Amino acid sequence: MAEPTIIDRFREAGLKATPQRLAIYRALARMKDHPSPDALFRAVRGAMPSLSLGTVYKTLDALEGAGLVEEVSRLGETKRYDANLAPHDHLVCTVCRRIADIHVDKRSVKPADLEVEGFEVLEMHVQLFGVCRDCRKKR
Amino acid sequence: MAEPTIIDRFREAGLKATPQRLAIYRALARMKDHPSPDALFRAVRGAMPSLSLGTVYKTLDALEGAGLVEEVSRLGETKRYDANLAPHDHLVCTVCRRIADIHVDKRSVKPADLEVEGFEVLEMHVQLFGVCRDCRKKR
DNA sequence: ATAGATGCAAACTATTTGCATTCAA
DNA sequence: TTGAATGCAAATAGTTTGCATCTAT
């Protein structure tokens, strides 16, 4: 059996395969720099001048809801601050949005001054996503 | 010699030690859930009813600039999307804001279903921050 | 034919900015 | 005394919503 096409995957998810959605999805799949809604809008608008930014937002929501795309940051809509300056990592409760500090031993993950394909890595942060004790109780 | 007080650290950074700043900094240091500017505003306002939300924003900017506090997410101000559904990690250029995919071997970091103090961990994401090749060239 | 999608505009939320007043040094 | 900080209000950026129209099925 053949791989399901994007159109098949849209339909399986109950989404109509409109030209706008296909263009937005294809542009996102092609762009490897994890574009913002606006960057995607600008990328697609050339070939589809009637496209509106609102449709890009709605499409990304629909695709995310269908599990076809992901948002890179899962930290929510507002800035979050930390007075702890020691290197550390974060435990994020996806239910109540609380963020706790945690320390992950990263020595085994990378040498101190790792370079990845010309990329100079200065810091490594680990985020653990899940459900905190309080929110688990409330299930 | 004694530890520098918060007031000392403010002054070293060229920041006046105003009651608002002290209250905001102390609330942030006390709250372990990494509050948003608005949460901090609500926490401090009780003891200082004249405080304005604008001052909280300005104070956080000033403290961050002085290296006294950090913002938890370094991914910038807008949403970023990804069509790559395979588990993977991210390389973030702090100069041009480009985000690239990378795969970090996390087997050594945690067992598959790690629990941290009652926290049910569902996913682990690693973010490497640094400077990409293009931006390094431009230095 | 019709439920769902689009495009436009208005609304909303988070954040930033401008400026007159106040205050820490 | 004085430059920096505050508080208020207006401005901006990003995102969401409402709704009339259109279109994929």
Side-chain angles (χ1 to χ4, degrees):
Chain A
M1 53 185 151
E3 285 280 298
T5 64
I6 302 160
I7 294 181
D8 292 335
R9 295 168 70 200
F10 280 12
R11 291 188 181 145
E12 278 163 35
L15 300 175
K16 289 185 179 175
T18 65
Q20 289 89 338
R21 275 185 187 153
L22 290 168
I24 291 165
Y25 180 85
R26 288 186 176 125
L28 178 58
R30 170 169 33 85
M31 295 166 79
K32 296 301 180 193
D33 60 345
H34 304 69
S36 63
D38 191 63
L40 226 22
F41 172 60
R42 284 181 274 108
V44 175
R45 191 174 36 175
M48 186 177 277
S50 68
L51 183 70
S52 73
L53 180 56
T55 294
V56 175
Y57 275 102
K58 285 170 183 164
T59 295
L60 290 169
D61 277 357
L63 296 181
E64 188 180 14
L68 296 172
V69 310
E70 289 181 350
E71 210 210 312
V72 175
S73 172
R74 313 289 184 73
L75 259 32
E77 47 308 296
T78 180
K79 292 184 172 185
R80 304 289 291 266
Y81 285 90
D82 194 341
N84 178 3
L85 300 176
H88 65 280
D89 301 287
H90 291 114
L91 210 46
V92 182
C93 177
T94 55
V95 178
C96 68
R97 305 266 107 201
R98 263 199 291 256
I99 302 173
D101 285 345
I102 187 180
H103 189 78
V104 172
D105 184 349
K106 282 160 282 189
R107 283 173 302 184
S108 58
V109 178
K110 74 163 182 66
D113 55 349
L114 173 71
E115 292 224 1
V116 185
E117 295 172 30
F119 198 103
E120 178 190 18
V121 175
L122 301 173
E123 287 183 54
M124 170 183 251
H125 292 158
V126 176
Q127 297 178 338
L128 301 179
F129 292 89
V131 186
C132 73
R133 179 160 30 195
D134 289 355
C135 289
R136 293 177 73 192
K137 278 188 205 157
K138 292 172 191 156
R139 291 299 172 80
Chain B
M1 53 185 150
E3 285 280 299
T5 63
I6 302 160
I7 293 180
D8 293 335
R9 295 168 70 199
F10 280 12
R11 290 187 182 146
E12 278 164 34
L15 300 175
K16 289 185 180 175
T18 65
Q20 289 88 339
R21 276 187 186 152
L22 290 168
I24 291 165
Y25 179 86
R26 288 186 176 125
L28 178 58
R30 170 171 32 84
M31 294 166 80
K32 295 301 180 194
D33 60 345
H34 305 69
S36 63
D38 191 64
L40 225 23
F41 173 60
R42 285 182 272 107
V44 176
R45 190 174 38 174
M48 186 176 278
S50 69
L51 183 70
S52 74
L53 180 57
T55 293
V56 176
Y57 276 101
K58 286 170 183 165
T59 295
L60 291 169
D61 276 357
L63 296 180
E64 189 180 14
L68 295 172
V69 309
E70 289 180 351
E71 211 211 312
V72 175
S73 172
R74 313 289 186 71
L75 260 31
E77 48 308 296
T78 179
K79 293 184 173 186
R80 304 289 292 266
Y81 287 89
D82 194 343
N84 177 3
L85 301 176
H88 65 279
D89 301 287
H90 292 113
L91 211 45
V92 182
C93 177
T94 56
V95 177
C96 68
R97 307 265 108 202
R98 264 199 290 257
I99 301 173
D101 285 346
I102 188 180
H103 189 78
V104 173
D105 184 349
K106 282 160 283 191
R107 284 173 303 183
S108 59
V109 178
K110 74 163 181 61
D113 56 349
L114 174 72
E115 292 225 1
V116 184
E117 295 173 28
F119 199 103
E120 178 190 19
V121 175
L122 301 173
E123 287 183 54
M124 170 182 251
H125 292 159
V126 176
Q127 296 177 338
L128 301 180
F129 292 90
V131 186
C132 74
R133 180 160 29 192
D134 288 355
C135 290
R136 293 176 72 191
K137 277 187 206 157
K138 293 173 192 158
R139 288 298 172 80

PDB file of all heavy atoms in Angstrom, chain A residues 13-30:
ATOM      1  N   ALA A  13      -8.143  13.512   9.083  1.00  0.00           N
ATOM      2  CA  ALA A  13      -8.287  14.355  10.270  1.00  0.00           C
ATOM      3  C   ALA A  13      -9.575  15.170  10.219  1.00  0.00           C
ATOM      4  O   ALA A  13      -9.839  15.963  11.114  1.00  0.00           O
ATOM      5  CB  ALA A  13      -7.078  15.277  10.390  1.00  0.00           C
ATOM      6  N   GLY A  14     -10.388  14.953   9.173  1.00  0.00           N
ATOM      7  CA  GLY A  14     -11.635  15.695   9.063  1.00  0.00           C
ATOM      8  C   GLY A  14     -11.462  17.118   8.554  1.00  0.00           C
ATOM      9  O   GLY A  14     -12.317  17.971   8.770  1.00  0.00           O
ATOM     10  N   LEU A  15     -10.331  17.362   7.895  1.00  0.00           N
ATOM     11  CA  LEU A  15     -10.062  18.709   7.377  1.00  0.00           C
ATOM     12  C   LEU A  15     -10.202  18.710   5.863  1.00  0.00           C
ATOM     13  O   LEU A  15      -9.653  17.845   5.188  1.00  0.00           O
ATOM     14  CB  LEU A  15      -8.636  19.135   7.738  1.00  0.00           C
ATOM     15  CG  LEU A  15      -8.271  19.194   9.209  1.00  0.00           C
ATOM     16  CD1 LEU A  15      -6.793  19.511   9.364  1.00  0.00           C
ATOM     17  CD2 LEU A  15      -9.124  20.221   9.933  1.00  0.00           C
ATOM     18  N   LYS A  16     -10.906  19.689   5.351  1.00  0.00           N
ATOM     19  CA  LYS A  16     -11.013  19.792   3.903  1.00  0.00           C
ATOM     20  C   LYS A  16      -9.671  20.176   3.301  1.00  0.00           C
ATOM     21  O   LYS A  16      -8.941  20.997   3.858  1.00  0.00           O
ATOM     22  CB  LYS A  16     -12.058  20.840   3.525  1.00  0.00           C
ATOM     23  CG  LYS A  16     -13.465  20.386   3.816  1.00  0.00           C
ATOM     24  CD  LYS A  16     -14.465  21.391   3.317  1.00  0.00           C
ATOM     25  CE  LYS A  16     -15.872  20.893   3.611  1.00  0.00           C
ATOM     26  NZ  LYS A  16     -16.883  21.913   3.253  1.00  0.00           N
ATOM     27  N   ALA A  17      -9.387  19.584   2.157  1.00  0.00           N
ATOM     28  CA  ALA A  17      -8.100  19.848   1.503  1.00  0.00           C
ATOM     29  C   ALA A  17      -8.216  21.065   0.605  1.00  0.00           C
ATOM     30  O   ALA A  17      -8.301  20.946  -0.614  1.00  0.00           O
ATOM     31  CB  ALA A  17      -7.656  18.616   0.715  1.00  0.00           C
ATOM     32  N   THR A  18      -8.206  22.224   1.206  1.00  0.00           N
ATOM     33  CA  THR A  18      -8.308  23.459   0.413  1.00  0.00           C
ATOM     34  C   THR A  18      -6.934  23.862  -0.109  1.00  0.00           C
ATOM     35  O   THR A  18      -5.913  23.484   0.467  1.00  0.00           O
ATOM     36  CB  THR A  18      -8.865  24.606   1.272  1.00  0.00           C
ATOM     37  OG1 THR A  18      -7.929  24.900   2.300  1.00  0.00           O
ATOM     38  CG2 THR A  18     -10.184  24.226   1.896  1.00  0.00           C
ATOM     39  N   PRO A  19      -6.924  24.632  -1.189  1.00  0.00           N
ATOM     40  CA  PRO A  19      -5.639  25.086  -1.730  1.00  0.00           C
ATOM     41  C   PRO A  19      -4.823  25.865  -0.706  1.00  0.00           C
ATOM     42  O   PRO A  19      -3.604  25.709  -0.633  1.00  0.00           O
ATOM     43  CB  PRO A  19      -6.041  26.006  -2.888  1.00  0.00           C
ATOM     44  CG  PRO A  19      -7.474  25.765  -3.155  1.00  0.00           C
ATOM     45  CD  PRO A  19      -8.076  25.076  -1.986  1.00  0.00           C
ATOM     46  N   GLN A  20      -5.487  26.669   0.123  1.00  0.00           N
ATOM     47  CA  GLN A  20      -4.779  27.446   1.142  1.00  0.00           C
ATOM     48  C   GLN A  20      -4.062  26.513   2.126  1.00  0.00           C
ATOM     49  O   GLN A  20      -2.877  26.692   2.420  1.00  0.00           O
ATOM     50  CB  GLN A  20      -5.760  28.329   1.913  1.00  0.00           C
ATOM     51  CG  GLN A  20      -6.327  29.499   1.124  1.00  0.00           C
ATOM     52  CD  GLN A  20      -7.594  29.134   0.359  1.00  0.00           C
ATOM     53  OE1 GLN A  20      -7.836  27.944   0.077  1.00  0.00           O
ATOM     54  NE2 GLN A  20      -8.384  30.119  -0.005  1.00  0.00           N
ATOM     55  N   ARG A  21      -4.792  25.536   2.624  1.00  0.00           N
ATOM     56  CA  ARG A  21      -4.184  24.608   3.582  1.00  0.00           C
ATOM     57  C   ARG A  21      -3.020  23.849   2.986  1.00  0.00           C
ATOM     58  O   ARG A  21      -1.999  23.652   3.633  1.00  0.00           O
ATOM     59  CB  ARG A  21      -5.233  23.607   4.054  1.00  0.00           C
ATOM     60  CG  ARG A  21      -6.018  24.157   5.187  1.00  0.00           C
ATOM     61  CD  ARG A  21      -6.959  23.129   5.733  1.00  0.00           C
ATOM     62  NE  ARG A  21      -7.793  23.796   6.720  1.00  0.00           N
ATOM     63  CZ  ARG A  21      -9.000  23.417   7.043  1.00  0.00           C
ATOM     64  NH1 ARG A  21      -9.538  22.354   6.468  1.00  0.00           N
ATOM     65  NH2 ARG A  21      -9.669  24.072   7.948  1.00  0.00           N
ATOM     66  N   LEU A  22      -3.221  23.384   1.757  1.00  0.00           N
ATOM     67  CA  LEU A  22      -2.137  22.632   1.129  1.00  0.00           C
ATOM     68  C   LEU A  22      -0.907  23.504   0.974  1.00  0.00           C
ATOM     69  O   LEU A  22       0.209  23.080   1.278  1.00  0.00           O
ATOM     70  CB  LEU A  22      -2.601  22.105  -0.235  1.00  0.00           C
ATOM     71  CG  LEU A  22      -3.650  20.984  -0.136  1.00  0.00           C
ATOM     72  CD1 LEU A  22      -4.268  20.725  -1.500  1.00  0.00           C
ATOM     73  CD2 LEU A  22      -2.993  19.703   0.400  1.00  0.00           C
ATOM     74  N   ALA A  23      -1.120  24.745   0.525  1.00  0.00           N
ATOM     75  CA  ALA A  23       0.023  25.636   0.309  1.00  0.00           C
ATOM     76  C   ALA A  23       0.723  25.956   1.630  1.00  0.00           C
ATOM     77  O   ALA A  23       1.954  25.970   1.707  1.00  0.00           O
ATOM     78  CB  ALA A  23      -0.439  26.916  -0.372  1.00  0.00           C
ATOM     79  N   ILE A  24      -0.068  26.188   2.664  1.00  0.00           N
ATOM     80  CA  ILE A  24       0.523  26.518   3.961  1.00  0.00           C
ATOM     81  C   ILE A  24       1.289  25.314   4.515  1.00  0.00           C
ATOM     82  O   ILE A  24       2.427  25.434   4.963  1.00  0.00           O
ATOM     83  CB  ILE A  24      -0.572  26.982   4.953  1.00  0.00           C
ATOM     84  CG1 ILE A  24      -1.126  28.343   4.514  1.00  0.00           C
ATOM     85  CG2 ILE A  24      -0.026  27.056   6.376  1.00  0.00           C
ATOM     86  CD1 ILE A  24      -2.435  28.731   5.195  1.00  0.00           C
ATOM     87  N   TYR A  25       0.660  24.160   4.446  1.00  0.00           N
ATOM     88  CA  TYR A  25       1.329  22.964   4.956  1.00  0.00           C
ATOM     89  C   TYR A  25       2.613  22.676   4.184  1.00  0.00           C
ATOM     90  O   TYR A  25       3.659  22.395   4.772  1.00  0.00           O
ATOM     91  CB  TYR A  25       0.404  21.745   4.893  1.00  0.00           C
ATOM     92  CG  TYR A  25       1.106  20.518   5.410  1.00  0.00           C
ATOM     93  CD1 TYR A  25       1.123  20.231   6.773  1.00  0.00           C
ATOM     94  CD2 TYR A  25       1.810  19.678   4.547  1.00  0.00           C
ATOM     95  CE1 TYR A  25       1.816  19.136   7.261  1.00  0.00           C
ATOM     96  CE2 TYR A  25       2.505  18.584   5.022  1.00  0.00           C
ATOM     97  CZ  TYR A  25       2.503  18.321   6.380  1.00  0.00           C
ATOM     98  OH  TYR A  25       3.194  17.247   6.864  1.00  0.00           O
ATOM     99  N   ARG A  26       2.528  22.769   2.876  1.00  0.00           N
ATOM    100  CA  ARG A  26       3.717  22.472   2.050  1.00  0.00           C
ATOM    101  C   ARG A  26       4.836  23.468   2.309  1.00  0.00           C
ATOM    102  O   ARG A  26       6.008  23.092   2.353  1.00  0.00           O
ATOM    103  CB  ARG A  26       3.343  22.448   0.568  1.00  0.00           C
ATOM    104  CG  ARG A  26       2.522  21.219   0.207  1.00  0.00           C
ATOM    105  CD  ARG A  26       2.268  21.125  -1.288  1.00  0.00           C
ATOM    106  NE  ARG A  26       1.543  19.874  -1.598  1.00  0.00           N
ATOM    107  CZ  ARG A  26       0.386  19.809  -2.261  1.00  0.00           C
ATOM    108  NH1 ARG A  26      -0.182  20.915  -2.716  1.00  0.00           N
ATOM    109  NH2 ARG A  26      -0.188  18.631  -2.481  1.00  0.00           N
ATOM    110  N   ALA A  27       4.471  24.731   2.478  1.00  0.00           N
ATOM    111  CA  ALA A  27       5.511  25.730   2.763  1.00  0.00           C
ATOM    112  C   ALA A  27       6.169  25.432   4.111  1.00  0.00           C
ATOM    113  O   ALA A  27       7.397  25.488   4.244  1.00  0.00           O
ATOM    114  CB  ALA A  27       4.917  27.131   2.771  1.00  0.00           C
ATOM    115  N   LEU A  28       5.364  25.070   5.084  1.00  0.00           N
ATOM    116  CA  LEU A  28       5.921  24.756   6.406  1.00  0.00           C
ATOM    117  C   LEU A  28       6.832  23.539   6.344  1.00  0.00           C
ATOM    118  O   LEU A  28       7.911  23.518   6.941  1.00  0.00           O
ATOM    119  CB  LEU A  28       4.787  24.517   7.412  1.00  0.00           C
ATOM    120  CG  LEU A  28       5.214  24.141   8.824  1.00  0.00           C
ATOM    121  CD1 LEU A  28       6.114  25.212   9.434  1.00  0.00           C
ATOM    122  CD2 LEU A  28       3.995  23.912   9.711  1.00  0.00           C
ATOM    123  N   ALA A  29       6.401  22.528   5.577  1.00  0.00           N
ATOM    124  CA  ALA A  29       7.212  21.308   5.477  1.00  0.00           C
ATOM    125  C   ALA A  29       8.520  21.580   4.744  1.00  0.00           C
ATOM    126  O   ALA A  29       9.538  20.945   5.018  1.00  0.00           O
ATOM    127  CB  ALA A  29       6.407  20.212   4.762  1.00  0.00           C
ATOM    128  N   ARG A  30       8.489  22.515   3.842  1.00  0.00           N
ATOM    129  CA  ARG A  30       9.682  22.835   3.054  1.00  0.00           C
ATOM    130  C   ARG A  30      10.655  23.740   3.808  1.00  0.00           C
ATOM    131  O   ARG A  30      11.864  23.594   3.708  1.00  0.00           O
ATOM    132  CB  ARG A  30       9.223  23.515   1.745  1.00  0.00           C
ATOM    133  CG  ARG A  30      10.308  24.129   0.896  1.00  0.00           C
ATOM    134  CD  ARG A  30       9.793  24.538  -0.503  1.00  0.00           C
ATOM    135  NE  ARG A  30       8.402  24.981  -0.501  1.00  0.00           N
ATOM    136  CZ  ARG A  30       7.993  26.230  -0.216  1.00  0.00           C
ATOM    137  NH1 ARG A  30       8.870  27.160   0.094  1.00  0.00           N
ATOM    138  NH2 ARG A  30       6.702  26.533  -0.262  1.00  0.00           N
TER     139      ARG A  30
END
